[in-house]
Amino acid sequence: MSNDHTNGHTPPAPASSNFLRGIIETDLTAGAYAERKDSQGQPLPQVVTRFPPEPNGYLHIGHAKSICVNFGLARDYAGRCHLRFDDTNPEKEEQEYVDTIIDSVRWLGFDWTDNTGEHLYFASNYFDKLYEMAEYLITAGLAYVDSQSAEQMTANRGNFGEPGKDSPFRNRSAEESLDLFRRMKAGEFKDGEHIVRARIDMASPNMNLRDPAIYRIRHAHHHRTGDKWCIYPMYDYTHPISDALENISHSICTLEFQDHRPFYDWLLEHLSSAGFLQKPVPHQYEFSRLNVTYVITSKRKLRQLVDEGIVDGWDDPRMPTLVGIRRRGFTPESLQLFCDRTGVTKSDGWIDMSSLEGALREDLDPKAPRASAVLQPLKLIIDNFPEGETVACHAPVYPPAHPEHATALRHFPISKTLWIEQEDFMETPVKGYFRLFPPSADKPGSRVRLRHGYVVECTGFDKDADGKVTAVHCTYFPDSKSGTEGSANYKVKGNIHWISVAHAIEAEVRLYDRLFTDPHPDAGGKDFKAALNPDAKKVISAYLEPGLKDAQPEQRYQFERHGYFIADRVDSQPGKLVFNRTVTLKDSWLK
Ligand code: ATP
Ligand code: MG
């Protein structure tokens, strides 16, 4: 396919242009896929992509990239994207995984339904057609049944730089192969006794063209087709045909499939020429995988974390699975932003975890409702505040950038005894410390503003027998209340948050951080468990402002001065709140 714009049409470069967009725009200009019709004779979109997971595990951050690329291109070029389960491996696949994958793709914000219906497919639905095409390939002399043992087959496959050797069964007649294939299907043989291979070239420099296997015997129950089949098509055979049957135009995958492309093309060329598949056939394009620092995505290693109880399950908020990332509090928008920004290239590289966290901050900063939370509580007693009284205070729910900033208010009372953060008091202040400290020989006690409340002056503190500060004392200035005229007369450098003790809501807060301390925990065969971050989860009991009493699961907030938090979707309920810290306000991992 040519990539030049010789007809003079140079499409405008979209915001985040990349080589896939370039290819699609060239194809659109040339009308490469303009003539195709669906089975009802209706014209097909010129851009049809697919996201093709194998239902053998949970989706992770890397899959999010592939989902955003495929669904994103379809969206941007008036096409459509299919969700297809590549379910050709009966032993490893389960309905449970199908369900969670569907959930995760929807949660990410994508949909496979358009005005022509739902485009959710299963490769297993094509088993009859795949079988029929395999019979054709055998009949046409393009495939044969091989009866070598697995060991012989491996030995005869050769190596890089060393050609393979033809199987002694390679010249079997089409009739004999076809008979054996039918008997394989009928269940006459044990697993591994025979295999169907494409007849291409045992000396090809590309190992994938050395008579690749296309069908194997597996006496196994399939989660969708049950016990109907005891032979199953290979992934490399199924994938191109599924693409073609679904009229995919641009079949986008990761770089490790580059060497599989010649077989993809070989197969579709033969089957379309024989009339099984519509022309023009789909084309495969590869881009580099997304690798994120501090993250592992190997299914085997993730499973190990779950099985060994190192994390609390697949949806543990420390996991890079989409169910974990969701539970942690990341928004679909932040993931889309992150995936768009990381771009589409052909060179492998690492993306820093901080860019995912940055995308979340960017997404939530203008829109997350604000709230006060005291995570490390210390009592502040306003000695001159009348006992038993309260004064109403309020603050905007939303930040200044939000359209409802001026109107939506949160209400909370101030009273004599408040919770403040331990770190907002220092018995002996260090230089530049502007929060609470007591009077000393050479300095009066500090003055700070209790946000949205009054200015107070620190007068002293209490200590217990162990020398631990148990309460801080202050006096307040009744004419200093935020929002009143008098407040302007008080200029203070410190500004701290607080919650009235009598009105505070107690909540469990789970402070999550990165699961690993090493940016490349499993690089070069390293023991990834040696790099586990012991502080990746800390559970504390905290105080929240009273308005959060009815916070619903998955509700997100910015806890002022702390970070972004979400009510846990599994464990939180009104009356028994559990919040997860998604990220802190600032990147604490910056060197
Ligand atoms: P397996 O090891 O089981 O093959 P997989 O991660 O490749 O796991 P699939 O279900 O085959 O899982 O992947 C579905 C799609 O997601 C494929 O097209 C694959 O290329 C893509 N994908 C998987 N990991 C990444 C990644 N890190 N970056 C971009 N795309 C990815
Ligand atoms: Mg795969």
Side-chain angles (χ1 to χ4, degrees):
M1 191 174 307
S2 89
N3 258 3
D4 59 357
H5 299 280
T6 42
N7 61 1
H9 172 99
T10 308
S16 50
S17 195
N18 61 54
F19 79 95
L20 288 175
R21 289 177 181 271
I23 288 164
I24 288 177
E25 285 164 15
T26 304
D27 285 349
L28 286 172
T29 304
Y33 291 95
E35 307 298 323
R36 303 180 312 161
K37 304 266 191 301
D38 69 13
S39 53
Q40 269 89 52
Q42 295 303 309
L44 283 157
Q46 295 191 54
V47 176
V48 184
T49 56
R50 83 286 168 272
F51 172 63
E54 187 180 350
N56 66 353
Y58 288 81
L59 297 183
H60 55 62
I61 180 84
H63 294 114
K65 173 83 192 191
S66 176
I67 294 167
C68 290
V69 167
N70 281 293
F71 281 92
L73 289 171
R75 175 197 58 211
D76 295 348
Y77 292 98
R80 74 176 180 229
C81 181
H82 297 183
L83 174 60
R84 181 201 319 137
F85 288 96
D86 259 331
D87 54 349
T88 56
N89 237 332
E91 289 109 323
K92 290 205 220 145
E93 297 161 2
E94 286 170 36
Q95 184 61 37
E96 177 199 343
Y97 297 129
V98 171
D99 297 338
T100 153
I101 289 171
I102 287 178
D103 250 29
S104 288
V105 181
R106 282 229 171 90
W107 173 75
L108 258 185
F110 297 106
D111 194 14
W112 41 92
T113 305
D114 66 10
N115 57 3
T116 61
E118 200 187 18
H119 295 284
L120 171 66
Y121 301 98
F122 291 85
S124 55
N125 282 359
Y126 309 137
F127 281 172
D128 286 313
K129 286 181 178 156
L130 290 158
Y131 176 81
E132 190 194 337
M133 290 182 220
E135 279 210 349
Y136 161 76
L137 291 174
I138 292 173
T139 312
L142 295 166
Y144 61 98
V145 171
D146 194 355
S147 309
Q148 296 181 97
S149 69
E151 295 74 50
Q152 285 168 322
M153 229 174 305
T154 311
N156 286 337
R157 228 178 138 224
N159 252 313
F160 290 107
E162 181 205 330
K165 292 194 197 74
D166 285 2
S167 160
F169 304 98
R170 196 174 197 263
N171 292 321
R172 234 173 203 158
S173 69
E175 292 70 33
E176 190 187 348
S177 280
L178 190 59
D179 174 62
L180 283 167
F181 186 40
R182 289 178 175 165
R183 288 165 60 199
M184 281 166 67
K185 178 178 178 239
E188 287 186 31
F189 306 113
K190 291 198 289 289
D191 287 5
E193 252 183 278
H194 303 283
I195 198 160
V196 183
R197 300 175 77 174
R199 185 185 272 119
I200 306 181
D201 180 6
M202 286 307 291
S204 171
N206 181 341
M207 302 286 286
N208 293 292
L209 290 181
R210 293 185 187 173
D211 292 9
I214 63 173
Y215 256 96
R216 72 217 153 113
I217 304 171
R218 272 287 178 286
H219 291 272
H221 185 85
H222 187 281
H223 70 111
R224 288 180 59 88
T225 57
D227 296 314
K228 175 171 176 199
W229 297 91
C230 62
I231 55 171
Y232 289 94
M234 302 300 287
Y235 176 86
D236 273 351
Y237 174 72
T238 310
H239 194 84
I241 296 176
S242 305
D243 280 350
L245 287 171
E246 290 176 20
N247 297 306
I248 301 301
S249 55
H250 301 80
S251 177
I252 297 160
C253 60
T254 36
L255 278 177
E256 70 271 23
F257 291 100
Q258 197 159 355
D259 289 346
H260 301 228
R261 177 160 25 96
F263 180 57
Y264 187 106
D265 292 340
W266 180 94
L267 189 62
L268 294 191
E269 173 53 33
H270 283 293
L271 291 172
S272 61
S273 296
F276 286 95
L277 304 168
Q278 169 165 220
K279 281 192 181 186
V281 295
H283 277 267
Q284 177 181 303
Y285 302 96
E286 308 87 12
F287 71 100
S288 62
R289 294 178 86 80
L290 171 69
N291 300 307
V292 185
T293 56
Y294 300 96
V295 163
I296 58 173
T297 52
S298 147
K299 274 178 197 153
R300 180 178 59 78
K301 292 172 191 165
L302 292 176
R303 186 176 303 279
Q304 208 177 329
L305 294 173
V306 174
D307 289 348
E308 296 179 18
I310 294 167
V311 295
D312 305 325
W314 288 99
D315 66 348
D316 184 299
R318 290 166 290 181
M319 290 284 272
T321 51
L322 293 186
V323 284
I325 287 174
R326 173 181 181 176
R327 196 171 165 191
R328 172 79 167 256
F330 282 90
T331 58
E333 293 83 356
S334 65
L335 283 162
Q336 287 193 30
L337 185 63
F338 169 72
C339 289
D340 284 353
R341 284 201 181 143
T342 54
V344 178
T345 67
K346 278 192 168 283
S347 50
D348 272 318
W350 287 81
I351 303 293
D352 202 88
M353 184 61 183
S354 60
S355 79
L356 174 59
E357 296 165 345
L360 182 82
R361 294 186 189 106
E362 222 175 299
D363 178 38
L364 286 185
D365 181 50
K367 68 186 190 199
R370 288 357 193 207
S372 294
V374 173
L375 303 184
Q376 305 288 335
L378 172 64
K379 259 186 194 157
L380 176 71
I381 302 165
I382 312 176
D383 290 313
N384 63 339
F385 201 94
E387 187 80 51
E389 266 189 35
T390 59
V391 174
C393 299
H394 63 261
V397 174
Y398 297 108
H402 192 279
E404 284 175 54
H405 171 68
T407 47
L409 295 178
R410 34 196 254 259
H411 299 274
F412 41 86
I414 192 162
S415 64
K416 187 179 181 78
T417 313
L418 310 176
W419 291 120
I420 60 167
E421 296 289 346
Q422 287 168 18
E423 62 169 30
D424 287 339
F425 172 76
M426 273 186 111
E427 186 178 339
T428 315
V430 293
K431 195 162 177 287
Y433 187 81
F434 298 119
R435 289 168 277 167
L436 291 166
F437 53 82
S440 60
D442 55 345
K443 248 193 201 170
S446 65
R447 284 187 184 188
V448 305
R449 176 169 291 283
L450 302 176
R451 285 163 82 88
H452 318 296
Y454 296 94
V455 170
V456 297
E457 180 172 312
C458 186
T459 53
F461 58 97
D462 303 333
K463 261 187 182 176
D464 65 12
D466 302 326
K468 189 175 168 255
V469 176
T470 53
V472 176
H473 291 270
C474 65
T475 54
Y476 85 119
F477 302 94
D479 61 343
S480 67
K481 188 159 183 254
S482 298
T484 65
E485 260 176 46
S487 75
N489 299 329
Y490 293 85
K491 299 268 179 279
V492 294
K493 284 192 178 158
N495 189 317
I496 67 172
H497 67 278
W498 53 273
I499 299 170
S500 165
V501 168
H503 305 89
I505 310 280
E506 220 179 313
E508 177 177 324
V509 172
R510 300 172 180 164
L511 300 172
Y512 290 110
D513 203 345
R514 296 177 186 176
L515 185 53
F516 296 101
T517 51
D518 183 334
H520 308 288
D522 59 350
K526 263 188 288 190
D527 173 16
F528 63 99
K529 288 198 286 176
L532 282 166
N533 176 6
D535 297 324
K537 178 184 180 183
K538 276 189 244 162
V539 181
I540 60 168
S541 172
Y543 294 109
L544 313 180
E545 68 176 56
L548 263 57
K549 179 165 59 74
D550 297 318
Q552 298 300 310
E554 294 213 281
Q555 229 168 314
R556 295 185 179 84
Y557 296 90
Q558 184 196 97
F559 289 172
E560 288 176 320
R561 302 175 62 210
H562 287 304
Y564 294 97
F565 291 73
I566 187 169
D568 189 72
R569 64 191 292 249
V570 180
D571 297 332
S572 188
Q573 40 184 292
K576 190 190 162 292
L577 296 173
V578 179
F579 274 90
N580 301 330
R581 180 174 70 199
T582 316
V583 289
T584 50
L585 283 185
K586 292 205 186 76
D587 189 351
S588 55
W589 289 73
L590 278 177
K591 299 258 157 55

